[in-house]
Amino acid sequence: MKTPDAPFATGACPCDAVRFAMVSAPYVVHACHCRDCQRLTGSAFAINAVIETDRLALLAGTVLPVSHPTPSGRGQTILRCNECQGAVWSHYGSMDEKAAFVRTGTLDLPALCAPHVHIYTRTRLPWITLPTGIPAFEAFYGGRDIPLIYGAEGAARLAALRARIV
């Protein structure tokens, strides 16, 4: 695994007060087309690189946790820059604070994190064309789809993460 000195990726909030590093590659990258992500981003969909929180290093600045309800009822905590309020990552209720959903648009090189899967496509905007060769689901995918989407290493990382959640 890389270190904060030689990370997989670095990123920042819009005002650059918050700087962070992803110590390793994410175990999965979601392109989420749900209405909640559309509203929160003001865009057609959100792209989140999912990584273990202990593989995410805050290099500068202060993040402010903001609770936000979700359609699942489990909620999410959005971590925002304390200065500009730009969202940099989230923690979702189902994964506790063990996993961080990093907004790929905040990365210095967002192209490092292309989506592995498109989710909640039933609410995608009709003018968005989904790429061929990338799995897409009308809602969220099931457990049997994880090895296909995540690959062996990503599936093992998710299993290890879930084992730590009590």
mmCIF file of all heavy atoms in Angstrom, residues 11 36 39 42 45 53 56 68 70-71 77 91 101 111 131 133 135 140 160:
data_model
loop_
_atom_site.group_PDB
_atom_site.id
_atom_site.type_symbol
_atom_site.label_atom_id
_atom_site.label_comp_id
_atom_site.label_asym_id
_atom_site.label_seq_id
_atom_site.Cartn_x
_atom_site.Cartn_y
_atom_site.Cartn_z
ATOM 1 N N GLY A 11 -6.435 15.293 -3.327
ATOM 2 C CA GLY A 11 -7.558 16.129 -3.700
ATOM 3 C C GLY A 11 -7.737 17.280 -2.744
ATOM 4 O O GLY A 11 -6.993 17.423 -1.768
ATOM 5 N N ASP A 36 -31.355 11.859 -5.047
ATOM 6 C CA ASP A 36 -30.666 12.496 -3.927
ATOM 7 C C ASP A 36 -29.296 13.009 -4.384
ATOM 8 O O ASP A 36 -28.932 14.148 -4.117
ATOM 9 C CB ASP A 36 -30.533 11.497 -2.774
ATOM 10 C CG ASP A 36 -30.302 12.165 -1.441
ATOM 11 O OD1 ASP A 36 -30.924 13.203 -1.161
ATOM 12 O OD2 ASP A 36 -29.488 11.622 -0.655
ATOM 13 N N ARG A 39 -29.689 16.035 -6.638
ATOM 14 C CA ARG A 39 -29.992 17.263 -5.898
ATOM 15 C C ARG A 39 -28.776 17.776 -5.136
ATOM 16 O O ARG A 39 -28.511 18.982 -5.111
ATOM 17 C CB ARG A 39 -31.152 17.024 -4.926
ATOM 18 C CG ARG A 39 -32.486 16.922 -5.606
ATOM 19 C CD ARG A 39 -33.625 16.790 -4.592
ATOM 20 N NE ARG A 39 -34.863 16.533 -5.264
ATOM 21 C CZ ARG A 39 -35.484 15.359 -5.275
ATOM 22 N NH1 ARG A 39 -34.984 14.338 -4.618
ATOM 23 N NH2 ARG A 39 -36.614 15.213 -5.921
ATOM 24 N N GLY A 42 -26.213 18.996 -7.774
ATOM 25 C CA GLY A 42 -26.673 19.928 -8.792
ATOM 26 C C GLY A 42 -26.266 19.469 -10.181
ATOM 27 O O GLY A 42 -26.091 20.268 -11.089
ATOM 28 N N PHE A 45 -25.436 13.194 -12.102
ATOM 29 C CA PHE A 45 -25.108 12.053 -11.239
ATOM 30 C C PHE A 45 -23.869 12.394 -10.438
ATOM 31 O O PHE A 45 -23.176 13.379 -10.710
ATOM 32 C CB PHE A 45 -24.904 10.765 -12.047
ATOM 33 C CG PHE A 45 -23.888 10.841 -13.153
ATOM 34 C CD1 PHE A 45 -22.568 10.515 -12.950
ATOM 35 C CD2 PHE A 45 -24.274 11.239 -14.429
ATOM 36 C CE1 PHE A 45 -21.641 10.580 -13.974
ATOM 37 C CE2 PHE A 45 -23.363 11.302 -15.469
ATOM 38 C CZ PHE A 45 -22.029 10.975 -15.239
ATOM 39 N N THR A 53 -11.847 4.287 5.358
ATOM 40 C CA THR A 53 -11.528 5.591 5.936
ATOM 41 C C THR A 53 -10.101 5.633 6.458
ATOM 42 O O THR A 53 -9.442 6.672 6.370
ATOM 43 C CB THR A 53 -12.545 5.946 7.037
ATOM 44 O OG1 THR A 53 -13.851 5.952 6.451
ATOM 45 C CG2 THR A 53 -12.275 7.312 7.633
ATOM 46 N N LEU A 56 -7.623 7.005 4.009
ATOM 47 C CA LEU A 56 -7.855 8.385 3.595
ATOM 48 C C LEU A 56 -7.177 9.286 4.621
ATOM 49 O O LEU A 56 -7.453 9.182 5.814
ATOM 50 C CB LEU A 56 -9.360 8.657 3.542
ATOM 51 C CG LEU A 56 -9.835 10.001 3.051
ATOM 52 C CD1 LEU A 56 -9.463 10.219 1.589
ATOM 53 C CD2 LEU A 56 -11.345 10.106 3.217
ATOM 54 N N HIS A 68 -27.226 14.212 6.814
ATOM 55 C CA HIS A 68 -28.197 14.370 5.740
ATOM 56 C C HIS A 68 -29.038 13.108 5.665
ATOM 57 O O HIS A 68 -28.491 12.007 5.627
ATOM 58 C CB HIS A 68 -27.475 14.612 4.409
ATOM 59 C CG HIS A 68 -28.393 14.750 3.239
ATOM 60 N ND1 HIS A 68 -29.142 15.879 3.013
ATOM 61 C CD2 HIS A 68 -28.701 13.892 2.249
ATOM 62 C CE1 HIS A 68 -29.867 15.699 1.928
ATOM 63 N NE2 HIS A 68 -29.620 14.503 1.441
ATOM 64 N N THR A 70 -31.306 10.132 4.025
ATOM 65 C CA THR A 70 -31.281 9.446 2.731
ATOM 66 C C THR A 70 -32.578 8.666 2.571
ATOM 67 O O THR A 70 -33.245 8.347 3.557
ATOM 68 C CB THR A 70 -30.088 8.474 2.629
ATOM 69 O OG1 THR A 70 -30.192 7.516 3.679
ATOM 70 C CG2 THR A 70 -28.762 9.206 2.720
ATOM 71 N N PRO A 71 -32.938 8.340 1.352
ATOM 72 C CA PRO A 71 -34.170 7.573 1.128
ATOM 73 C C PRO A 71 -34.184 6.224 1.869
ATOM 74 O O PRO A 71 -35.238 5.725 2.218
ATOM 75 C CB PRO A 71 -34.191 7.369 -0.387
ATOM 76 C CG PRO A 71 -33.447 8.545 -0.922
ATOM 77 C CD PRO A 71 -32.355 8.794 0.082
ATOM 78 N N THR A 77 -23.404 11.128 6.466
ATOM 79 C CA THR A 77 -22.710 12.283 7.010
ATOM 80 C C THR A 77 -21.803 12.799 5.909
ATOM 81 O O THR A 77 -20.923 12.073 5.434
ATOM 82 C CB THR A 77 -21.883 11.902 8.260
ATOM 83 O OG1 THR A 77 -22.761 11.363 9.238
ATOM 84 C CG2 THR A 77 -21.165 13.121 8.821
ATOM 85 N N HIS A 91 -19.845 9.568 4.675
ATOM 86 C CA HIS A 91 -19.960 8.261 5.328
ATOM 87 C C HIS A 91 -21.442 7.919 5.298
ATOM 88 O O HIS A 91 -22.264 8.745 5.693
ATOM 89 C CB HIS A 91 -19.488 8.310 6.782
ATOM 90 C CG HIS A 91 -18.058 8.706 6.950
ATOM 91 N ND1 HIS A 91 -17.018 7.944 6.475
ATOM 92 C CD2 HIS A 91 -17.496 9.779 7.552
ATOM 93 C CE1 HIS A 91 -15.878 8.536 6.785
ATOM 94 N NE2 HIS A 91 -16.136 9.655 7.424
ATOM 95 N N PHE A 101 -16.811 7.767 1.013
ATOM 96 C CA PHE A 101 -17.252 7.900 -0.374
ATOM 97 C C PHE A 101 -16.716 9.247 -0.871
ATOM 98 O O PHE A 101 -17.337 10.282 -0.646
ATOM 99 C CB PHE A 101 -18.774 7.827 -0.458
ATOM 100 C CG PHE A 101 -19.336 6.471 -0.154
ATOM 101 C CD1 PHE A 101 -19.240 5.911 1.117
ATOM 102 C CD2 PHE A 101 -19.968 5.741 -1.148
ATOM 103 C CE1 PHE A 101 -19.761 4.655 1.383
ATOM 104 C CE2 PHE A 101 -20.496 4.485 -0.889
ATOM 105 C CZ PHE A 101 -20.390 3.937 0.382
ATOM 106 N N ALA A 111 -9.614 11.609 -13.326
ATOM 107 C CA ALA A 111 -9.613 10.502 -14.285
ATOM 108 C C ALA A 111 -9.032 9.217 -13.692
ATOM 109 O O ALA A 111 -9.211 8.139 -14.267
ATOM 110 C CB ALA A 111 -8.838 10.898 -15.534
ATOM 111 N N PRO A 131 -22.318 3.969 -20.658
ATOM 112 C CA PRO A 131 -21.293 3.310 -21.474
ATOM 113 C C PRO A 131 -21.500 1.799 -21.520
ATOM 114 O O PRO A 131 -21.965 1.202 -20.556
ATOM 115 C CB PRO A 131 -19.990 3.666 -20.761
ATOM 116 C CG PRO A 131 -20.378 3.982 -19.366
ATOM 117 C CD PRO A 131 -21.781 4.506 -19.422
ATOM 118 N N GLY A 133 -20.205 -2.045 -21.491
ATOM 119 C CA GLY A 133 -19.110 -2.728 -20.820
ATOM 120 C C GLY A 133 -18.975 -2.418 -19.344
ATOM 121 O O GLY A 133 -18.121 -2.992 -18.671
ATOM 122 N N PRO A 135 -21.132 -2.423 -15.765
ATOM 123 C CA PRO A 135 -22.410 -2.854 -15.207
ATOM 124 C C PRO A 135 -23.283 -1.660 -14.796
ATOM 125 O O PRO A 135 -22.773 -0.638 -14.334
ATOM 126 C CB PRO A 135 -22.016 -3.677 -13.976
ATOM 127 C CG PRO A 135 -20.598 -4.073 -14.208
ATOM 128 C CD PRO A 135 -19.992 -2.967 -15.030
ATOM 129 N N PHE A 140 -29.723 -0.538 -6.523
ATOM 130 C CA PHE A 140 -28.396 -0.949 -6.081
ATOM 131 C C PHE A 140 -28.200 -2.400 -6.478
ATOM 132 O O PHE A 140 -29.158 -3.117 -6.724
ATOM 133 C CB PHE A 140 -28.256 -0.763 -4.561
ATOM 134 C CG PHE A 140 -26.849 -0.624 -4.095
ATOM 135 C CD1 PHE A 140 -26.152 0.553 -4.293
ATOM 136 C CD2 PHE A 140 -26.198 -1.670 -3.459
ATOM 137 C CE1 PHE A 140 -24.840 0.688 -3.872
ATOM 138 C CE2 PHE A 140 -24.887 -1.543 -3.039
ATOM 139 C CZ PHE A 140 -24.209 -0.367 -3.235
ATOM 140 N N ALA A 160 -13.495 -7.570 4.475
ATOM 141 C CA ALA A 160 -12.709 -7.237 5.666
ATOM 142 C C ALA A 160 -13.315 -6.031 6.374
ATOM 143 O O ALA A 160 -13.372 -5.991 7.608
ATOM 144 C CB ALA A 160 -11.259 -6.966 5.287
#
